Amino acid sequence: MVIAEIKSLKDIKKMIENFKRVLIVGCGECVSVCLTGGQKQVELLSSALRISSRNNKEKRILKGKTISRQCEPKYLENIKKDIEESDAVLSMACGAGVQALSEKFRKIPVFPAMNTKFIGVSDEEGNFIEMCAACGDCILSLTGGICPVTRCPKGLLNGPCGGSKNGKCEANPETPCAWLLIYERMKELDKIDDLKNINSPKDWSKNMRPGKLKAGI
Amino acid sequence: MSVNAMPPCQAACPIRTDVRGYVYAISKGDVSEAIRIIREVNPFPSVCGRICTRACESACRRGQIDEPIAIASLKRFASDETMEQKDVFKTGPYYTEKVAIVGGGPSGLTAAHDLALLGYNVVVYEAHDELGGMMTRGVPEYRLPKNVVMNDIERILSLGVEARTNTALGKDITVDELMKEYQAVFIALGSEKSMFPKCKGIELPGVITAVEFLKQVSRGQRPYLGQKVVIIGGGHTALDAARTCIRLGSPDVTVLYRRTINEMPAGRIEVEEAESEGVKFRYLSAPLEFIGRGRIEKIRCTEMRFVADESRRRRLVPVEDSEFEIMADAVILAIGYNPRTDDIKDIEKISGKRGTIVVKDDTGTTNLKGVFAGGDVVSGPMSVIDAIASGKRAAIAIHRYLRSLPPKENEEPTVLRPLDEKIIPLIEKRPQQKMAQLTVEERIKSFKEVNLGFTWEQAISEAQRCLNCGAGAEISDDCVRCLNCVRVCPYNVPVASDDKPKIDISQCQACGICASECPALAIDMKLETREQSMNKLQHAIDAVKNITDNASEIEFYCHYKKAVKPETEISKGISIGKPCVARIDISQFIKPFEEGCTKVKILACKDRECHFKECGNWLNKHVNEAKKILEESGLDPEQLTIVYD
């Protein structure tokens, strides 16, 4: 799941300062699930912007809409009329959603209300943790299902490094050492001997941007 | 379980009163709304508020935690407080058909009420000189004052129902005659003919029936029966007669009952009240012979005991050699009643056992075309609410008969399950409010009503004990499956599933936390929907704008903490009551500022955790997040404050 957070209100206000009719568009997928860009946040952002517009004696009309999935052009059709009635759009989706929107409605400025952070999972307590760097060449089969490319700040393919202390990383003492986690997991899987193999350097050509996937349809 | 599952109180009520609805209205101090909900189905709230058998209270799930909600007392409160409201919704008549109701008791009058509202011309024939049946002729004033019954009856008559008193079926009118003038007839004669024990000496002067005795008293007569009075029987009428004797000055009043207090139809509370007034009880005792020279002097009795027969059912038999005598200046018989239909010739075709009328089904349809019957004349003596229910069913059946509609199919509702054991300890205990009563000294001197009714504070406090069963969370198709509801519920009710999370409506406590935390606004509470909530807020914002431009302050307060009458702060419109302030989502705290309000105040509970679990923490979280938004928007976050008191 894509994790994104809302930009500061100051940044958002700056983006829309020259526009009178602004449409805020939420997304019903990842950003709703990580509690940052769903219908509730669309309403809160609209409210916040109305209050500051009122404070600054700016006349601005704010409207909010949330669609099922912003990265699907077909769903974007549903807001065509709202877009036509607006001068600018604030997208509360991930970067992909923002671009899908601006591609679909090319004549209207589309601004991101969010900073897209990473691909992550929920820890069941309302926190989201990065788990995947989308490197294009998955090695989780070699590392007991724990990704060192993402979870080791140095992205080491053979670890740990000398900076691992009491199970934590030298780069951030709150971050567990990914390689220690891998070691423990391999032990549980009774595959500890596999760690004696040296992983060869990563083929970063598979991470060529922009990525493209042709689905078999 | 369907989100529309019925609360057990409503399902237990023979007329399916929306108990949750009116109790919630009282909890907000809105008695007008409460009585509106009650009167939708029940034309006798003043009566049922006092003498109902209260199946709802036995079913109430609050009873799993401490004590059930005092539902009948709340109904009485709603009716007492609105006694002066005479606004009657008069509909018809829309139809030309006329319906005759024979019998002006609760069943007949209810049918008359419902048929009048359906748009028919209705005439009620009553054998006595006054309407009300056992409500005015049987139940003594200290339990059910006549003026409150008459108040309910006047409302029924004001719908255009015509009453012809002193007109008895079989004597002054016949069914055949009625069928010539009317298109349908509903027979609801009641069941007032006393049964007699098979004993010698029953004809002795001084042996009277409870019905006759209570009728005399209801007419204002005050017969003194003597020093020693013995009442035979264990039902409500027996106790009514006994307590009436005490009030009429007899110092030695004994109720003689064949079985034990556990089998007594009158119920323990009534027995206790009678005992405190001085009535004596002799259980497992039955009369054998009434003895006296020219007048009753004593009763020869036997003790009784239960024995198990072959089918293991308990049977009551006399105890050998246990005979004893009780002295009596008077004996009142209250062992049972049958309908009095012997001399009504033209209903012979539909007569059943012991004077009853035979009906085909519970709609009251009989074998005579256009003739319906209901109430005690069909069932034998039952409670007032059963009589009302049968009147309602008959009204529907008559309407469908007259309009040639197919009979209404009975739908058995899905009923909420009991509370799970793991939820019970999470719910705050709160004892039932006890209604004030006259002292025993005051009671036995007069026929003044014993139970004095709830005060406003008591009624609101009692109504607030309601768990609002089944008025909780509903998840719409907007759900994004984030499972936030599963994480935040203080009662651990929502559970993850392959599809949307599942919220068991039987267990949801309607605290509203999941709804306030749902990122997709996909959860709504039946208790107060998002739309209702937003409308209330908009109303308050508009009101504040109208009052003045300067002091624009909106206040949220908790229903559970502040019991207010509607004519005080609420009517000003700027104070918004909530069934717990923790359920208010952030957008509601900041919306007033969008429209220029300068201050939002939340009156919260001092102990931070009152009606719902963890509510204090959630309120703080919501307020802190709202403050952050206000600050970012350029306002002073202190414009939003929580006031604890």
Side-chain angles (χ1 to χ4, degrees):
Chain A
M1 183 175 65
V2 178
I3 309 300
E5 65 181 12
I6 306 176
K7 285 176 178 284
S8 74
L9 197 65
K10 195 172 129 219
D11 291 349
I12 294 173
K13 280 193 283 194
K14 183 128 190 66
M15 287 187 279
I16 60 161
E17 66 187 349
N18 296 324
F19 299 94
K20 195 175 165 220
R21 299 174 304 168
V22 179
L23 177 70
I24 303 178
V25 186
C27 176
E29 287 284 345
C30 312
V31 289
S32 278
V33 177
C34 72
L35 317 180
T36 51
Q39 179 62 19
K40 179 179 167 182
Q41 293 300 332
V42 167
E43 291 195 2
L44 290 180
L45 180 58
S46 313
S47 248
L49 290 172
R50 279 190 205 110
I51 294 170
S52 52
S53 302
R54 189 188 174 91
N55 263 356
N56 300 334
K57 305 207 163 23
E58 295 164 340
K59 285 205 169 148
R60 182 166 290 126
I61 300 159
L62 288 135
K63 196 172 168 185
K65 272 275 159 97
T66 298
I67 53 175
S68 304
R69 192 162 73 232
Q70 251 185 66
C71 55
E72 169 56 61
K74 288 207 182 327
Y75 284 126
L76 295 173
E77 287 288 342
N78 299 341
I79 50 166
K80 199 173 167 202
K81 196 165 168 285
D82 300 293
I83 297 266
E84 281 164 3
E85 290 167 0
S86 307
D87 304 323
V89 178
L90 260 175
S91 163
M92 294 193 82
C94 67
V98 178
Q99 292 181 64
L101 236 173
S102 86
E103 192 65 32
K104 177 92 181 172
F105 304 106
R106 304 173 70 100
K107 287 183 181 159
I108 190 162
V110 177
F111 302 117
M114 317 285 279
N115 290 321
T116 304
K117 304 288 281 187
F118 51 79
I119 299 172
V121 300
S122 153
D123 68 354
E124 294 203 25
E125 285 170 14
N127 301 311
F128 292 91
I129 296 154
E130 186 174 13
M131 288 288 181
C132 175
C135 70
D137 183 24
C138 191
I139 58 160
L140 286 168
S141 62
L142 306 174
T143 56
I146 292 166
C147 177
V149 180
T150 317
R151 298 173 70 181
C152 167
K154 296 177 187 175
L156 294 179
L157 296 188
N158 296 285
C161 68
S164 174
K165 208 180 250 176
N166 299 325
K168 301 289 183 194
C169 175
E170 67 177 342
N172 180 353
E174 281 183 9
T175 305
C177 170
W179 273 101
L180 183 74
L181 297 176
I182 293 169
Y183 177 80
E184 296 294 343
R185 180 70 57 81
M186 291 298 264
K187 226 164 46 178
E188 282 175 60
L189 295 168
D190 202 19
K191 283 163 79 176
I192 197 86
D193 284 347
D194 289 8
L195 289 181
K196 288 178 186 161
N197 302 328
I198 303 295
N199 293 323
S200 40
K202 196 166 176 60
D203 178 5
W204 284 102
S205 71
K206 291 185 177 168
N207 185 235
M208 190 69 81
R209 308 277 176 159
K212 187 167 185 180
L213 171 73
K214 189 166 169 48
I217 44 171
Chain B
M1 181 164 286
S2 155
V3 290
N4 295 319
M6 200 179 262
C9 49
Q10 184 173 11
C13 176
I15 58 168
R16 304 264 194 264
T17 308
D18 176 12
V19 175
R20 179 183 70 200
Y22 80 77
V23 171
Y24 181 57
I26 295 174
S27 80
K28 295 185 289 181
D30 192 351
V31 278
S32 301
E33 172 67 359
I35 199 72
R36 188 194 63 75
I37 294 171
I38 296 167
R39 285 196 184 278
E40 247 175 32
V41 293
N42 189 346
F44 287 108
S46 322
V47 175
C48 290
R50 289 170 168 85
I51 61 162
C52 187
T53 40
R54 303 174 300 170
C56 51
E57 293 186 20
S58 305
C60 173
R61 304 199 305 172
R62 179 98 216 179
Q64 284 183 266
I65 300 154
D66 35 43
E67 296 164 278
I69 306 299
I71 298 170
S73 303
L74 289 173
K75 178 177 283 151
R76 172 180 167 177
F77 175 77
S79 113
D80 285 357
E81 288 299 323
T82 53
M83 203 66 99
E84 300 307 315
Q85 290 180 14
K86 298 287 182 199
D87 49 322
V88 174
F89 182 64
K90 207 167 173 176
T91 52
Y94 297 131
Y95 303 119
T96 51
E97 287 95 336
K98 290 172 77 182
V99 182
I101 310 280
V102 188
S107 183
L109 288 173
T110 300
H113 169 265
D114 285 15
L115 284 165
L117 285 179
L118 281 163
Y120 292 95
N121 293 289
V122 186
V123 178
V124 177
Y125 291 91
E126 166 60 48
H128 295 80
D129 57 1
E130 189 174 60
L131 293 172
M134 291 301 269
M135 298 184 293
T136 46
R137 284 197 303 281
V139 186
E141 291 248 6
Y142 65 85
R143 258 194 335 127
L144 180 63
K146 202 184 267 186
N147 69 315
V148 303
V149 186
M150 292 322 288
N151 188 64
D152 283 345
I153 292 176
E154 275 159 27
R155 288 184 73 98
I156 296 171
L157 297 179
S158 68
L159 295 172
V161 172
E162 185 189 335
R164 297 189 191 159
T165 49
N166 293 315
T167 313
L169 187 68
K171 204 171 95 193
D172 307 306
I173 41 164
T174 66
V175 175
D176 286 344
E177 282 164 20
L178 289 175
M179 282 311 288
K180 281 177 197 148
E181 194 183 339
Y182 299 91
Q183 284 64 52
V185 173
F186 178 52
I187 303 176
L189 298 171
S191 182
E192 296 185 22
K193 193 174 121 189
S194 293
M195 286 160 71
F196 292 92
K198 293 190 182 94
C199 301
K200 273 193 201 165
I202 207 101
E203 69 296 335
L204 282 172
V207 179
I208 58 168
T209 66
V211 170
E212 196 48 43
F213 171 61
L214 291 172
K215 198 196 283 180
Q216 283 177 16
V217 177
S218 77
R219 286 165 178 273
Q221 295 171 30
R222 295 290 180 259
Y224 174 70
L225 299 183
Q227 292 268 319
K228 289 178 190 292
V229 184
V230 177
I231 292 95
I232 317 276
H236 292 283
T237 318
L239 267 76
D240 286 343
R243 297 174 69 182
T244 297
C245 289
I246 293 276
R247 283 165 175 74
L248 295 177
S250 297
D252 187 352
V253 179
T254 305
V255 171
L256 205 66
Y257 181 50
R258 285 157 27 107
R259 300 182 174 85
T260 72
I261 188 169
N262 300 323
E263 289 80 30
M264 217 165 189
R268 214 167 269 272
I269 294 174
E270 241 181 286
V271 171
E272 282 168 14
E273 284 184 6
E275 277 178 333
S276 66
E277 291 169 11
V279 176
K280 286 178 269 187
F281 286 83
R282 187 141 189 179
Y283 299 105
L284 291 168
S285 306
L288 293 172
E289 185 183 358
F290 300 102
I291 303 166
R293 280 166 299 178
R295 187 180 169 79
I296 181 77
E297 287 168 11
K298 59 187 176 184
I299 315 167
R300 189 162 61 82
C301 308
T302 176
E303 286 177 13
M304 306 293 282
R305 68 188 172 100
F306 285 107
V307 290
D309 63 11
E310 303 86 52
S311 60
R312 288 194 164 182
R313 275 174 49 196
R314 294 195 315 161
R315 211 155 46 86
L316 201 58
V317 295
V319 178
E320 270 179 49
D321 300 328
S322 66
E323 289 182 17
F324 62 96
E325 288 183 348
I326 302 183
M327 302 307 285
D329 300 320
V331 172
I332 300 177
L333 301 173
I335 62 164
Y337 310 90
N338 287 326
R340 191 188 301 278
T341 51
D342 341 358
D343 43 2
I344 308 173
K345 287 273 174 308
D346 54 354
I347 60 164
E348 272 169 5
K349 279 184 216 156
I350 51 171
S351 295
K353 284 181 190 165
R354 291 187 289 273
T356 54
I357 292 178
V358 178
V359 293
K360 288 191 194 165
D361 51 37
D362 74 354
T363 64
T365 313
T366 69
N367 275 331
L368 295 177
K369 193 168 158 33
V371 177
F372 297 77
D376 287 359
V377 76
V378 168
S379 59
M382 298 281 272
S383 65
V384 69
I385 190 66
D386 288 314
I388 292 170
S390 98
K392 294 189 79 66
R393 287 192 299 267
I396 294 288
I398 290 168
H399 169 60
R400 300 185 85 86
Y401 161 76
L402 292 175
R403 302 263 72 76
S404 303
L405 298 167
K408 200 178 166 209
E409 279 178 30
N410 269 344
E411 280 173 34
E412 273 310 305
T414 318
V415 185
L416 296 172
R417 284 184 289 103
L419 292 170
D420 282 350
E421 288 300 320
K422 63 178 173 48
I423 300 267
I424 292 170
L426 305 179
I427 300 169
E428 189 211 21
K429 281 195 167 60
R430 224 169 134 174
Q432 195 187 61
Q433 291 289 326
K434 300 294 174 214
M435 192 183 284
Q437 292 186 322
L438 290 181
T439 62
V440 172
E441 294 71 35
E442 287 171 297
R443 282 193 231 166
I444 60 173
K445 280 190 299 206
S446 73
F447 281 83
K448 276 188 200 154
E449 189 169 20
V450 170
N451 293 311
L452 299 174
F454 278 153
T455 62
W456 267 91
E457 286 69 23
Q458 277 187 305
I460 289 173
S461 181
E462 183 59 25
Q464 288 175 351
R465 294 178 65 238
C466 177
L467 301 176
N468 300 306
C469 299
E474 229 177 302
I475 305 185
S476 77
D477 288 340
D478 291 337
C479 172
V480 295
R481 281 98 172 133
C482 69
L483 303 185
N484 210 29
C485 52
V486 177
R487 292 183 192 104
V488 301
C489 176
Y491 301 93
N492 302 316
V493 175
V495 285
S497 78
D498 281 345
D499 189 31
K500 292 187 284 191
K502 298 214 177 328
I503 297 183
D504 183 349
I505 197 73
S506 284
Q507 306 306 323
C508 175
Q509 296 303 304
C511 70
I513 298 299
C514 59
S516 70
E517 291 296 303
C518 175
L521 306 183
I523 304 182
D524 217 345
M525 307 303 294
K526 279 208 266 178
L527 186 62
E528 186 180 289
T529 63
R530 199 177 148 72
E531 193 186 343
Q532 288 168 336
S533 194
M534 279 304 188
N535 286 345
K536 251 161 98 174
L537 179 61
Q538 193 58 54
H539 176 77
I541 293 171
D542 295 343
V544 95
K545 280 189 195 159
N546 281 339
I547 293 170
T548 162
D549 291 337
N550 302 322
S552 49
E553 179 176 318
I554 297 276
E555 179 185 274
F556 291 97
Y557 68 90
C558 175
H559 284 162
Y560 294 114
K561 135 171 215 306
K562 194 175 172 191
V564 288
K565 286 193 191 184
E567 64 265 30
T568 56
E569 287 108 80
I570 296 173
S571 61
K572 281 192 238 155
I574 54 163
S575 203
I576 305 168
K578 290 278 166 184
C580 181
V581 282
R583 73 172 61 225
I584 308 171
D585 62 47
I586 304 163
S587 65
Q588 296 203 40
F589 288 142
I590 58 176
K591 186 164 174 52
F593 296 104
E594 274 181 41
E595 303 207 24
C597 292
T598 51
K599 198 162 184 186
V600 171
K601 200 161 83 180
I602 304 126
L603 304 179
C605 318
K606 200 174 188 175
D607 45 9
R608 316 265 165 114
E609 181 139 336
C610 56
H611 195 75
F612 293 117
K613 212 168 164 277
E614 298 170 16
C615 55
N617 292 343
W618 285 109
L619 173 65
N620 279 338
K621 182 173 179 282
H622 296 160
V623 169
N624 288 338
E625 283 175 38
K627 277 177 186 263
K628 210 175 129 206
I629 292 174
L630 292 181
E631 192 166 18
E632 283 191 328
S633 314
L635 295 184
D636 177 1
E638 293 312 310
Q639 287 175 267
L640 172 67
T641 50
I642 308 182
V643 180
Y644 295 103
D645 54 15

